[in-house]
Amino acid sequence: MVAKSALLLAPPYAVERSLNVLGANLKTARLRRNLTLQEVAEKIGVVRRVVSDAEKGKPSTSIAVYIALLWAYGLTEQLTQVADPETDQEGKALERARTPQRARQERTLDDNF
């Protein structure tokens, strides 16, 4: 028997909440397009239960399934905003803290009196 990851058994609250919101958003997108679970499952090449699990925000659902669902609904352009380095304020601050504030200039003797 394979041990399950602690992340799958009891994900941090923020992770669980984000998956639930993503799942609900995907379900809304499917319903607005008047598609059934079966139709979407066939389009992305999985069984109906996998789509249902994604809509419930199940942590063990593959990220490929979530991205395939975004593709099926024409929403993959929104992925460019996920973890965009340009909007990572904390990462930018940490990078600035590691970068030297000024570069040292080599001192040369000036014999122009």
Side-chain angles (χ1 to χ4, degrees):
M1 182 170 162
V2 177
K4 288 211 174 193
S5 164
L7 180 63
L8 299 180
L9 295 174
Y13 177 74
V15 171
E16 185 176 12
R17 174 97 174 106
S18 295
L19 285 171
N20 287 334
V21 168
L22 176 58
N25 291 348
L26 289 170
K27 183 175 184 175
T28 300
R30 177 179 60 81
L31 294 174
R32 284 182 175 170
R33 287 159 178 77
N34 200 28
L35 296 169
T36 66
L37 286 171
Q38 187 63 39
E39 290 170 330
V40 175
E42 287 174 7
K43 184 171 183 173
I44 66 171
V46 297
V47 296
R48 186 176 88 49
R49 181 187 49 76
V50 173
V51 177
S52 177
D53 287 348
E55 290 182 355
K56 292 175 185 171
K58 191 171 178 183
S60 61
T61 303
S62 166
I63 191 168
V65 171
Y66 287 105
I67 293 173
L69 289 171
L70 290 170
W71 167 78
Y73 306 141
L75 300 172
T76 53
E77 290 177 15
Q78 296 178 16
L79 285 174
T80 60
Q81 299 169 6
V82 175
D84 182 2
E86 292 303 314
T87 60
D88 181 12
Q89 299 306 317
E90 182 179 355
K92 285 181 173 182
L94 291 168
E95 183 179 44
R96 279 191 303 273
R98 286 190 311 264
T99 305
Q101 296 301 315
R102 62 185 180 113
R104 291 183 180 245
Q105 295 179 354
E106 288 189 32
R107 295 184 183 197
T108 58
L109 293 175
D110 183 14
D111 20 332
N112 187 8
F113 294 103

